[in-house]
Amino acid sequence: MNVISYGGGVQSTALMGLAARHEIPYHTLLFANVGDDSEDPATLEYVRHVARPYAAANGLALHVLHRTLRAGGTETLWGRMMRKGSRALPIPVRMPNGAPGTRGCTRDFKIWVTGRWLKANGATPGNPATVAVGISLDEIARAANRRVEPYERLVYPLLDLKLRRVDCQQIISEAGLPVPPKSACWFCPLKSLGGWKEMRRDRPGLFLRACCLEESLNETRQWGGKGDAVFLTRTGRPLLEAVEAAQEELPFDVGCDSGWCMT
């Protein structure tokens, strides 16, 4: 079983383009959707109206996966955080010193969801699936940070082909597709400060929701007896204050283009 871990961003879309050109042996793409209320709306728009039609036109199967519950139904990342009485902090919120918290969102809503599909379709430790991850040469360090599960074998076609992000953009353009936006949850605390500034400028409604989320998470922590505040930026300030005070973008810009949402 050969699959592409599809994240809706530049690198994994380039993998789709290479597969459509029969330059890599993959026909299946897996997009783990953490929730229509959680994924960036621009990414969902791209997956639905660009990636899926392109995949279908080129003989590729793009499966959109969701986290399902044993009791039935689906769970979203936003829903977990907003569940009444929940104290869960599955996203890597920033501590006052700027350090990120645990990244349970990737494990529970990306890796687990994709792994469940792989195992349901025959992947086992004795017969692992080959999973292509979109990491390009200019971010090679990320390849060492992904834990490998027993039922999978990770490969990095972009590294094998010595392709950089700019090469990926060229592949996408040659396919006649628009270059996708950076993919990540719209409230991801690993967003660069420049990304937050851009959101406030271009999508003020979404930015306001992120500010409200930050306030809600801290209210929940206060009810739970947690004294230290958490933030969506590494500045140790509330989101609105951090963006207003910013003079230049911090040198930290991580998204989920590879499909695994890993740094």
Side-chain angles (χ1 to χ4, degrees):
M1 185 192 309
N2 291 355
V3 303
I4 292 172
S5 174
Y6 185 68
V10 171
Q11 279 89 342
S12 58
T13 298
L15 287 180
M16 180 174 65
L18 291 172
R21 285 161 30 176
H22 307 290
E23 295 184 23
I24 55 175
Y26 297 87
H27 299 92
T28 302
L29 299 95
L30 305 179
F31 174 65
N33 181 356
V34 304
D36 287 358
D37 54 5
S38 308
E39 295 280 358
D40 192 297
T43 296
L44 292 175
E45 183 79 7
Y46 192 90
V47 171
R48 290 168 179 160
H49 299 292
V50 178
R52 291 192 82 171
Y54 176 81
N58 286 276
L60 307 176
L62 198 168
H63 299 277
V64 177
L65 312 179
H66 302 272
R67 180 176 172 84
T68 57
L69 302 173
R70 290 183 179 179
T74 62
E75 180 185 27
T76 71
L77 180 54
W78 176 265
R80 176 178 292 188
M81 291 190 295
M82 294 294 102
R83 188 171 61 242
K84 186 176 181 180
S86 173
R87 298 180 183 177
L89 285 177
I91 60 175
V93 290
R94 299 286 186 164
M95 299 297 113
N97 65 359
T102 304
R103 201 166 180 175
C105 48
T106 299
R107 180 190 65 243
D108 293 350
F109 289 88
K110 292 286 186 180
I111 297 174
W112 184 88
V113 170
T114 302
R116 186 172 184 176
W117 189 96
L118 293 174
K119 290 183 285 186
N121 284 273
T124 65
N127 183 33
T130 297
V131 180
V133 181
I135 292 180
S136 53
L137 197 60
D138 39 1
E139 54 180 21
I140 191 171
R142 295 178 61 198
N145 292 337
R146 166 70 166 88
R147 174 183 170 180
V148 181
E149 302 296 335
Y151 50 79
E152 65 183 6
R153 182 176 69 90
L154 301 187
V155 296
Y156 304 92
L158 300 178
L159 297 182
D160 295 337
L161 295 170
K162 296 180 173 56
L163 299 178
R164 297 181 177 274
R165 184 180 179 88
V166 65
D167 301 314
C168 294
Q169 294 171 330
Q170 181 64 31
I171 291 169
I172 294 168
S173 296
E174 290 173 354
L177 302 177
V179 175
K182 181 171 286 294
S183 62
C185 294
W186 57 267
F187 46 74
C188 182
L190 298 183
K191 191 190 305 293
S192 68
L193 192 55
W196 286 118
K197 291 163 63 178
E198 180 181 302
M199 179 184 286
R200 186 190 184 195
R201 182 191 68 218
D202 299 337
R203 299 186 288 177
L206 204 59
F207 180 79
L208 179 59
R209 288 189 67 194
C211 292
C212 292
L213 169 63
E214 187 180 65
E215 293 177 1
S216 177
L217 293 178
N218 280 305
E219 288 176 359
T220 299
R221 287 177 66 79
Q222 290 177 4
W223 295 336
K226 301 287 186 180
D228 52 332
V230 295
F231 306 98
L232 294 183
T233 74
R234 65 188 306 181
T235 64
R237 298 178 174 183
L239 179 56
L240 180 59
E241 181 182 327
V243 170
E244 288 182 339
Q247 297 300 315
E248 58 184 29
E249 180 178 353
L250 293 174
F252 193 82
D253 195 6
V254 177
C256 300
D257 290 19
S258 70
W260 282 123
C261 194
M262 279 297 200
T263 61

PDB file of all heavy atoms in Angstrom, residues 205-233:
ATOM      1  N   GLY A 205     -12.549  38.798  11.115  1.00  0.00           N
ATOM      2  CA  GLY A 205     -13.514  37.992  11.855  1.00  0.00           C
ATOM      3  C   GLY A 205     -12.869  36.743  12.434  1.00  0.00           C
ATOM      4  O   GLY A 205     -13.119  36.357  13.585  1.00  0.00           O
ATOM      5  N   LEU A 206     -12.026  36.093  11.630  1.00  0.00           N
ATOM      6  CA  LEU A 206     -11.334  34.892  12.086  1.00  0.00           C
ATOM      7  C   LEU A 206     -10.325  35.247  13.183  1.00  0.00           C
ATOM      8  O   LEU A 206     -10.162  34.504  14.158  1.00  0.00           O
ATOM      9  CB  LEU A 206     -10.629  34.229  10.901  1.00  0.00           C
ATOM     10  CG  LEU A 206     -10.330  32.726  11.006  1.00  0.00           C
ATOM     11  CD1 LEU A 206     -11.604  31.931  11.217  1.00  0.00           C
ATOM     12  CD2 LEU A 206      -9.613  32.245   9.758  1.00  0.00           C
ATOM     13  N   PHE A 207      -9.665  36.376  13.031  1.00  0.00           N
ATOM     14  CA  PHE A 207      -8.709  36.826  14.041  1.00  0.00           C
ATOM     15  C   PHE A 207      -9.423  37.076  15.374  1.00  0.00           C
ATOM     16  O   PHE A 207      -8.925  36.693  16.441  1.00  0.00           O
ATOM     17  CB  PHE A 207      -8.004  38.098  13.580  1.00  0.00           C
ATOM     18  CG  PHE A 207      -7.009  38.635  14.572  1.00  0.00           C
ATOM     19  CD1 PHE A 207      -5.745  38.075  14.681  1.00  0.00           C
ATOM     20  CD2 PHE A 207      -7.350  39.694  15.396  1.00  0.00           C
ATOM     21  CE1 PHE A 207      -4.833  38.563  15.610  1.00  0.00           C
ATOM     22  CE2 PHE A 207      -6.444  40.189  16.332  1.00  0.00           C
ATOM     23  CZ  PHE A 207      -5.179  39.622  16.436  1.00  0.00           C
ATOM     24  N   LEU A 208     -10.589  37.683  15.327  1.00  0.00           N
ATOM     25  CA  LEU A 208     -11.353  37.945  16.550  1.00  0.00           C
ATOM     26  C   LEU A 208     -11.734  36.637  17.228  1.00  0.00           C
ATOM     27  O   LEU A 208     -11.685  36.524  18.458  1.00  0.00           O
ATOM     28  CB  LEU A 208     -12.603  38.762  16.231  1.00  0.00           C
ATOM     29  CG  LEU A 208     -13.510  39.101  17.416  1.00  0.00           C
ATOM     30  CD1 LEU A 208     -12.749  39.890  18.471  1.00  0.00           C
ATOM     31  CD2 LEU A 208     -14.734  39.876  16.944  1.00  0.00           C
ATOM     32  N   ARG A 209     -12.088  35.622  16.439  1.00  0.00           N
ATOM     33  CA  ARG A 209     -12.412  34.316  17.016  1.00  0.00           C
ATOM     34  C   ARG A 209     -11.203  33.724  17.720  1.00  0.00           C
ATOM     35  O   ARG A 209     -11.328  33.092  18.778  1.00  0.00           O
ATOM     36  CB  ARG A 209     -12.899  33.353  15.930  1.00  0.00           C
ATOM     37  CG  ARG A 209     -14.283  33.640  15.386  1.00  0.00           C
ATOM     38  CD  ARG A 209     -14.739  32.508  14.479  1.00  0.00           C
ATOM     39  NE  ARG A 209     -14.940  31.272  15.234  1.00  0.00           N
ATOM     40  CZ  ARG A 209     -15.081  30.066  14.661  1.00  0.00           C
ATOM     41  NH1 ARG A 209     -15.004  29.952  13.348  1.00  0.00           N
ATOM     42  NH2 ARG A 209     -15.273  29.008  15.408  1.00  0.00           N
ATOM     43  N   ALA A 210     -10.005  33.913  17.152  1.00  0.00           N
ATOM     44  CA  ALA A 210      -8.790  33.408  17.781  1.00  0.00           C
ATOM     45  C   ALA A 210      -8.542  34.118  19.112  1.00  0.00           C
ATOM     46  O   ALA A 210      -8.148  33.491  20.103  1.00  0.00           O
ATOM     47  CB  ALA A 210      -7.596  33.579  16.845  1.00  0.00           C
ATOM     48  N   CYS A 211      -8.775  35.421  19.150  1.00  0.00           N
ATOM     49  CA  CYS A 211      -8.622  36.170  20.407  1.00  0.00           C
ATOM     50  C   CYS A 211      -9.594  35.644  21.459  1.00  0.00           C
ATOM     51  O   CYS A 211      -9.234  35.484  22.634  1.00  0.00           O
ATOM     52  CB  CYS A 211      -8.868  37.655  20.167  1.00  0.00           C
ATOM     53  SG  CYS A 211      -7.621  38.484  19.148  1.00  0.00           S
ATOM     54  N   CYS A 212     -10.819  35.364  21.034  1.00  0.00           N
ATOM     55  CA  CYS A 212     -11.821  34.841  21.966  1.00  0.00           C
ATOM     56  C   CYS A 212     -11.435  33.448  22.448  1.00  0.00           C
ATOM     57  O   CYS A 212     -11.663  33.102  23.615  1.00  0.00           O
ATOM     58  CB  CYS A 212     -13.195  34.813  21.299  1.00  0.00           C
ATOM     59  SG  CYS A 212     -13.887  36.448  20.964  1.00  0.00           S
ATOM     60  N   LEU A 213     -10.851  32.636  21.553  1.00  0.00           N
ATOM     61  CA  LEU A 213     -10.399  31.303  21.943  1.00  0.00           C
ATOM     62  C   LEU A 213      -9.330  31.406  23.032  1.00  0.00           C
ATOM     63  O   LEU A 213      -9.380  30.679  24.030  1.00  0.00           O
ATOM     64  CB  LEU A 213      -9.840  30.562  20.735  1.00  0.00           C
ATOM     65  CG  LEU A 213      -9.095  29.248  21.049  1.00  0.00           C
ATOM     66  CD1 LEU A 213     -10.034  28.230  21.686  1.00  0.00           C
ATOM     67  CD2 LEU A 213      -8.455  28.676  19.793  1.00  0.00           C
ATOM     68  N   GLU A 214      -8.370  32.288  22.839  1.00  0.00           N
ATOM     69  CA  GLU A 214      -7.310  32.460  23.821  1.00  0.00           C
ATOM     70  C   GLU A 214      -7.900  32.839  25.184  1.00  0.00           C
ATOM     71  O   GLU A 214      -7.500  32.286  26.227  1.00  0.00           O
ATOM     72  CB  GLU A 214      -6.337  33.532  23.340  1.00  0.00           C
ATOM     73  CG  GLU A 214      -5.095  33.684  24.190  1.00  0.00           C
ATOM     74  CD  GLU A 214      -4.189  34.780  23.639  1.00  0.00           C
ATOM     75  OE1 GLU A 214      -4.621  35.964  23.640  1.00  0.00           O
ATOM     76  OE2 GLU A 214      -3.078  34.458  23.213  1.00  0.00           O
ATOM     77  N   GLU A 215      -8.850  33.754  25.195  1.00  0.00           N
ATOM     78  CA  GLU A 215      -9.495  34.149  26.440  1.00  0.00           C
ATOM     79  C   GLU A 215     -10.240  32.977  27.068  1.00  0.00           C
ATOM     80  O   GLU A 215     -10.186  32.773  28.291  1.00  0.00           O
ATOM     81  CB  GLU A 215     -10.462  35.302  26.180  1.00  0.00           C
ATOM     82  CG  GLU A 215      -9.790  36.613  25.767  1.00  0.00           C
ATOM     83  CD  GLU A 215     -10.801  37.696  25.459  1.00  0.00           C
ATOM     84  OE1 GLU A 215     -12.020  37.425  25.587  1.00  0.00           O
ATOM     85  OE2 GLU A 215     -10.386  38.804  25.091  1.00  0.00           O
ATOM     86  N   SER A 216     -10.922  32.199  26.245  1.00  0.00           N
ATOM     87  CA  SER A 216     -11.695  31.058  26.754  1.00  0.00           C
ATOM     88  C   SER A 216     -10.789  30.001  27.369  1.00  0.00           C
ATOM     89  O   SER A 216     -11.101  29.436  28.428  1.00  0.00           O
ATOM     90  CB  SER A 216     -12.514  30.452  25.613  1.00  0.00           C
ATOM     91  OG  SER A 216     -13.218  29.305  26.039  1.00  0.00           O
ATOM     92  N   LEU A 217      -9.650  29.736  26.728  1.00  0.00           N
ATOM     93  CA  LEU A 217      -8.714  28.745  27.265  1.00  0.00           C
ATOM     94  C   LEU A 217      -8.194  29.182  28.633  1.00  0.00           C
ATOM     95  O   LEU A 217      -8.043  28.358  29.544  1.00  0.00           O
ATOM     96  CB  LEU A 217      -7.556  28.540  26.295  1.00  0.00           C
ATOM     97  CG  LEU A 217      -7.895  27.881  24.956  1.00  0.00           C
ATOM     98  CD1 LEU A 217      -6.646  27.802  24.083  1.00  0.00           C
ATOM     99  CD2 LEU A 217      -8.504  26.503  25.149  1.00  0.00           C
ATOM    100  N   ASN A 218      -7.937  30.455  28.784  1.00  0.00           N
ATOM    101  CA  ASN A 218      -7.431  30.940  30.067  1.00  0.00           C
ATOM    102  C   ASN A 218      -8.509  30.953  31.140  1.00  0.00           C
ATOM    103  O   ASN A 218      -8.227  30.691  32.316  1.00  0.00           O
ATOM    104  CB  ASN A 218      -6.811  32.328  29.892  1.00  0.00           C
ATOM    105  CG  ASN A 218      -5.404  32.261  29.328  1.00  0.00           C
ATOM    106  OD1 ASN A 218      -4.541  31.593  29.884  1.00  0.00           O
ATOM    107  ND2 ASN A 218      -5.170  32.919  28.210  1.00  0.00           N
ATOM    108  N   GLU A 219      -9.739  31.226  30.755  1.00  0.00           N
ATOM    109  CA  GLU A 219     -10.834  31.137  31.719  1.00  0.00           C
ATOM    110  C   GLU A 219     -10.980  29.707  32.213  1.00  0.00           C
ATOM    111  O   GLU A 219     -11.187  29.463  33.411  1.00  0.00           O
ATOM    112  CB  GLU A 219     -12.129  31.617  31.073  1.00  0.00           C
ATOM    113  CG  GLU A 219     -12.201  33.115  30.851  1.00  0.00           C
ATOM    114  CD  GLU A 219     -13.458  33.524  30.116  1.00  0.00           C
ATOM    115  OE1 GLU A 219     -14.261  32.618  29.774  1.00  0.00           O
ATOM    116  OE2 GLU A 219     -13.649  34.730  29.876  1.00  0.00           O
ATOM    117  N   THR A 220     -10.874  28.748  31.305  1.00  0.00           N
ATOM    118  CA  THR A 220     -10.968  27.338  31.677  1.00  0.00           C
ATOM    119  C   THR A 220      -9.849  26.958  32.632  1.00  0.00           C
ATOM    120  O   THR A 220     -10.051  26.216  33.597  1.00  0.00           O
ATOM    121  CB  THR A 220     -10.905  26.455  30.421  1.00  0.00           C
ATOM    122  OG1 THR A 220     -12.006  26.770  29.562  1.00  0.00           O
ATOM    123  CG2 THR A 220     -10.980  24.979  30.784  1.00  0.00           C
ATOM    124  N   ARG A 221      -8.634  27.466  32.371  1.00  0.00           N
ATOM    125  CA  ARG A 221      -7.509  27.159  33.246  1.00  0.00           C
ATOM    126  C   ARG A 221      -7.721  27.752  34.645  1.00  0.00           C
ATOM    127  O   ARG A 221      -7.373  27.145  35.653  1.00  0.00           O
ATOM    128  CB  ARG A 221      -6.213  27.688  32.636  1.00  0.00           C
ATOM    129  CG  ARG A 221      -5.743  26.879  31.452  1.00  0.00           C
ATOM    130  CD  ARG A 221      -4.502  27.478  30.822  1.00  0.00           C
ATOM    131  NE  ARG A 221      -3.325  27.441  31.688  1.00  0.00           N
ATOM    132  CZ  ARG A 221      -2.572  26.363  31.875  1.00  0.00           C
ATOM    133  NH1 ARG A 221      -2.876  25.223  31.281  1.00  0.00           N
ATOM    134  NH2 ARG A 221      -1.505  26.420  32.656  1.00  0.00           N
ATOM    135  N   GLN A 222      -8.320  28.927  34.711  1.00  0.00           N
ATOM    136  CA  GLN A 222      -8.587  29.540  36.012  1.00  0.00           C
ATOM    137  C   GLN A 222      -9.591  28.722  36.811  1.00  0.00           C
ATOM    138  O   GLN A 222      -9.433  28.490  38.005  1.00  0.00           O
ATOM    139  CB  GLN A 222      -9.087  30.965  35.818  1.00  0.00           C
ATOM    140  CG  GLN A 222      -8.020  31.925  35.318  1.00  0.00           C
ATOM    141  CD  GLN A 222      -8.559  33.321  35.075  1.00  0.00           C
ATOM    142  OE1 GLN A 222      -9.727  33.600  35.345  1.00  0.00           O
ATOM    143  NE2 GLN A 222      -7.719  34.198  34.555  1.00  0.00           N
ATOM    144  N   TRP A 223     -10.641  28.229  36.124  1.00  0.00           N
ATOM    145  CA  TRP A 223     -11.623  27.382  36.799  1.00  0.00           C
ATOM    146  C   TRP A 223     -10.985  26.090  37.295  1.00  0.00           C
ATOM    147  O   TRP A 223     -11.373  25.545  38.309  1.00  0.00           O
ATOM    148  CB  TRP A 223     -12.766  27.048  35.837  1.00  0.00           C
ATOM    149  CG  TRP A 223     -13.561  28.240  35.422  1.00  0.00           C
ATOM    150  CD1 TRP A 223     -13.701  29.419  36.101  1.00  0.00           C
ATOM    151  CD2 TRP A 223     -14.323  28.382  34.224  1.00  0.00           C
ATOM    152  NE1 TRP A 223     -14.499  30.287  35.391  1.00  0.00           N
ATOM    153  CE2 TRP A 223     -14.904  29.682  34.243  1.00  0.00           C
ATOM    154  CE3 TRP A 223     -14.584  27.547  33.149  1.00  0.00           C
ATOM    155  CZ2 TRP A 223     -15.711  30.150  33.224  1.00  0.00           C
ATOM    156  CZ3 TRP A 223     -15.386  28.002  32.129  1.00  0.00           C
ATOM    157  CH2 TRP A 223     -15.945  29.290  32.164  1.00  0.00           C
ATOM    158  N   GLY A 224      -9.991  25.614  36.548  1.00  0.00           N
ATOM    159  CA  GLY A 224      -9.329  24.371  36.924  1.00  0.00           C
ATOM    160  C   GLY A 224      -8.197  24.566  37.915  1.00  0.00           C
ATOM    161  O   GLY A 224      -7.496  23.606  38.240  1.00  0.00           O
ATOM    162  N   GLY A 225      -8.010  25.792  38.409  1.00  0.00           N
ATOM    163  CA  GLY A 225      -6.987  26.038  39.399  1.00  0.00           C
ATOM    164  C   GLY A 225      -5.595  26.241  38.847  1.00  0.00           C
ATOM    165  O   GLY A 225      -4.607  26.205  39.589  1.00  0.00           O
ATOM    166  N   LYS A 226      -5.476  26.453  37.521  1.00  0.00           N
ATOM    167  CA  LYS A 226      -4.174  26.704  36.909  1.00  0.00           C
ATOM    168  C   LYS A 226      -3.891  28.203  36.957  1.00  0.00           C
ATOM    169  O   LYS A 226      -4.659  29.008  36.435  1.00  0.00           O
ATOM    170  CB  LYS A 226      -4.165  26.233  35.455  1.00  0.00           C
ATOM    171  CG  LYS A 226      -4.471  24.738  35.284  1.00  0.00           C
ATOM    172  CD  LYS A 226      -3.308  23.874  35.724  1.00  0.00           C
ATOM    173  CE  LYS A 226      -3.570  22.407  35.407  1.00  0.00           C
ATOM    174  NZ  LYS A 226      -2.452  21.544  35.816  1.00  0.00           N
ATOM    175  N   GLY A 227      -2.786  28.582  37.577  1.00  0.00           N
ATOM    176  CA  GLY A 227      -2.511  29.989  37.744  1.00  0.00           C
ATOM    177  C   GLY A 227      -1.846  30.658  36.567  1.00  0.00           C
ATOM    178  O   GLY A 227      -2.049  31.856  36.323  1.00  0.00           O
ATOM    179  N   ASP A 228      -1.045  29.913  35.803  1.00  0.00           N
ATOM    180  CA  ASP A 228      -0.290  30.532  34.716  1.00  0.00           C
ATOM    181  C   ASP A 228      -1.139  30.653  33.458  1.00  0.00           C
ATOM    182  O   ASP A 228      -1.878  29.747  33.111  1.00  0.00           O
ATOM    183  CB  ASP A 228       0.990  29.748  34.414  1.00  0.00           C
ATOM    184  CG  ASP A 228       0.720  28.277  34.190  1.00  0.00           C
ATOM    185  OD1 ASP A 228      -0.275  27.773  34.751  1.00  0.00           O
ATOM    186  OD2 ASP A 228       1.487  27.623  33.460  1.00  0.00           O
ATOM    187  N   ALA A 229      -1.022  31.781  32.791  1.00  0.00           N
ATOM    188  CA  ALA A 229      -1.778  32.016  31.560  1.00  0.00           C
ATOM    189  C   ALA A 229      -1.092  31.326  30.382  1.00  0.00           C
ATOM    190  O   ALA A 229       0.093  30.989  30.440  1.00  0.00           O
ATOM    191  CB  ALA A 229      -1.890  33.514  31.303  1.00  0.00           C
ATOM    192  N   VAL A 230      -1.847  31.107  29.320  1.00  0.00           N
ATOM    193  CA  VAL A 230      -1.303  30.564  28.083  1.00  0.00           C
ATOM    194  C   VAL A 230      -1.664  31.509  26.947  1.00  0.00           C
ATOM    195  O   VAL A 230      -2.607  32.295  27.051  1.00  0.00           O
ATOM    196  CB  VAL A 230      -1.834  29.142  27.793  1.00  0.00           C
ATOM    197  CG1 VAL A 230      -1.357  28.159  28.856  1.00  0.00           C
ATOM    198  CG2 VAL A 230      -3.365  29.139  27.704  1.00  0.00           C
ATOM    199  N   PHE A 231      -0.901  31.417  25.855  1.00  0.00           N
ATOM    200  CA  PHE A 231      -1.061  32.373  24.767  1.00  0.00           C
ATOM    201  C   PHE A 231      -0.988  31.671  23.415  1.00  0.00           C
ATOM    202  O   PHE A 231      -0.508  30.541  23.311  1.00  0.00           O
ATOM    203  CB  PHE A 231       0.031  33.449  24.863  1.00  0.00           C
ATOM    204  CG  PHE A 231       0.091  34.132  26.201  1.00  0.00           C
ATOM    205  CD1 PHE A 231       1.015  33.727  27.159  1.00  0.00           C
ATOM    206  CD2 PHE A 231      -0.785  35.157  26.512  1.00  0.00           C
ATOM    207  CE1 PHE A 231       1.055  34.333  28.401  1.00  0.00           C
ATOM    208  CE2 PHE A 231      -0.750  35.780  27.754  1.00  0.00           C
ATOM    209  CZ  PHE A 231       0.174  35.362  28.702  1.00  0.00           C
ATOM    210  N   LEU A 232      -1.440  32.365  22.381  1.00  0.00           N
ATOM    211  CA  LEU A 232      -1.368  31.839  21.014  1.00  0.00           C
ATOM    212  C   LEU A 232      -0.144  32.343  20.264  1.00  0.00           C
ATOM    213  O   LEU A 232       0.060  31.977  19.110  1.00  0.00           O
ATOM    214  CB  LEU A 232      -2.641  32.189  20.236  1.00  0.00           C
ATOM    215  CG  LEU A 232      -3.929  31.523  20.734  1.00  0.00           C
ATOM    216  CD1 LEU A 232      -5.106  31.897  19.831  1.00  0.00           C
ATOM    217  CD2 LEU A 232      -3.788  30.006  20.800  1.00  0.00           C
ATOM    218  N   THR A 233       0.658  33.192  20.898  1.00  0.00           N
ATOM    219  CA  THR A 233       1.932  33.618  20.304  1.00  0.00           C
ATOM    220  C   THR A 233       3.033  33.363  21.319  1.00  0.00           C
ATOM    221  O   THR A 233       2.774  33.178  22.512  1.00  0.00           O
ATOM    222  CB  THR A 233       1.944  35.115  19.926  1.00  0.00           C
ATOM    223  OG1 THR A 233       2.061  35.898  21.120  1.00  0.00           O
ATOM    224  CG2 THR A 233       0.685  35.508  19.173  1.00  0.00           C
TER     225      THR A 233
END
